[in-house]
Amino acid sequence: MNIFAYIGRAVLDLLAQIGRLAGFTGRSLAALASPPFYGRLVLQQFVRIGYLSMPVVGLTALSTGAVLALQIYLGGNRYGAEAIVPQIVVLGITRELGPVIAGLMVAGRVAAAIAAEIGTMKVTEQIDALTTLSTNPVKYLVVPRLVAAVVCMPILTAAGDSIGVFGGYLVATKNLGFTGSVYLKNTVDFATAQDINSGLIKAAVFGFIIALMGCYNG
């Protein structure tokens, strides 16, 4: 019976956690749609989440594109299909790797910082002070970070896609014997708006989840 009691407590704790997270998400979305709007705070989060994350996202995307091109060439060369390198690189980066890379880098850099910052404010009773001053803490602290993350993540992903494709281009032209103009033509001809847009939509969703979980845990 102790085993069933342990399982029951775990399930109830999980459901309670899901309920608290759902309630927090609902309050955040409601605050997002109602005034007042703190534009200055949103701009500050643009800098923290977007601009300051660009170096690590760009460096990771560059190395990932280079390694992806090299590995695709090595695999395709066994079957005489090394010419597909530019097509597979641009498809893999724009649809999957670009959003994932940007999401991982931003999650590691930003989500922990958001949780630590808001957690410190809670411990030092700054959030209680906001409530005392008739300021909605969710509106003041959570909404600017959500807006900034949702807007910045597609921008970071688009930049990461470009840098990742450029990394594949460098390896292909410098080490694998590809002609630069042919590589670029194959890349442009194969990439479609649907491939790019699907990656940007994923990035926006990732940005919302990253900021939401950082604020919630904080």
Side-chain angles (χ1 to χ4, degrees):
M1 295 303 296
N2 290 334
I3 295 177
F4 292 108
Y6 175 79
I7 295 174
R9 283 194 298 270
V11 172
L12 291 177
D13 290 341
L14 176 62
L15 294 177
Q17 185 77 0
I18 293 174
R20 287 192 292 269
L21 179 58
F24 183 82
T25 304
R27 293 193 299 273
S28 301
L29 294 176
L32 183 64
S34 61
F37 302 103
Y38 299 98
R40 181 178 59 85
L41 297 178
V42 174
L43 292 178
Q44 289 178 354
Q45 296 305 318
F46 280 165
V47 174
R48 294 180 180 179
I49 296 175
Y51 178 74
L52 297 179
S53 297
M54 180 58 72
V56 64
V57 172
L59 182 61
T60 307
L62 180 67
S63 59
T64 300
V67 171
L68 183 63
L70 179 61
Q71 296 304 319
I72 292 172
Y73 179 83
L74 293 177
N77 190 43
R78 300 178 182 178
Y79 305 98
E82 61 272 8
I84 65 172
V85 169
Q87 293 91 331
I88 303 301
V89 168
V90 69
L91 182 64
I93 289 180
T94 55
R95 290 186 67 92
E96 302 296 341
L97 289 178
V100 170
I101 290 170
L104 288 174
M105 295 301 104
V106 173
R109 181 189 169 276
V110 173
I114 291 175
E117 182 181 10
I118 296 180
T120 301
M121 295 179 68
K122 184 175 180 63
V123 171
T124 56
E125 300 182 350
Q126 296 181 51
I127 295 179
D128 294 334
L130 289 174
T131 304
T132 303
L133 295 172
S134 299
T135 300
N136 185 350
V138 175
K139 187 71 173 177
Y140 190 83
L141 298 175
V142 178
V143 169
R145 289 164 172 80
L146 286 179
V147 173
V150 171
V151 174
C152 288
M153 275 297 297
I155 298 174
L156 288 172
T157 299
D161 290 346
S162 302
I163 296 172
V165 172
F166 178 69
Y169 169 83
L170 286 179
V171 170
T173 55
K174 301 298 182 182
N175 300 100
L176 304 180
F178 281 78
T179 303
S181 59
V182 175
Y183 187 96
L184 293 177
K185 185 178 186 303
N186 290 335
T187 298
V188 174
D189 291 343
F190 191 77
T192 64
Q194 182 180 359
D195 297 329
I196 298 173
N197 292 335
S198 65
L200 298 182
I201 293 172
K202 291 176 186 177
V205 174
F206 291 164
F208 179 82
I209 295 173
I210 290 168
L212 180 70
M213 296 308 299
C215 294
Y216 174 77
N217 286 285

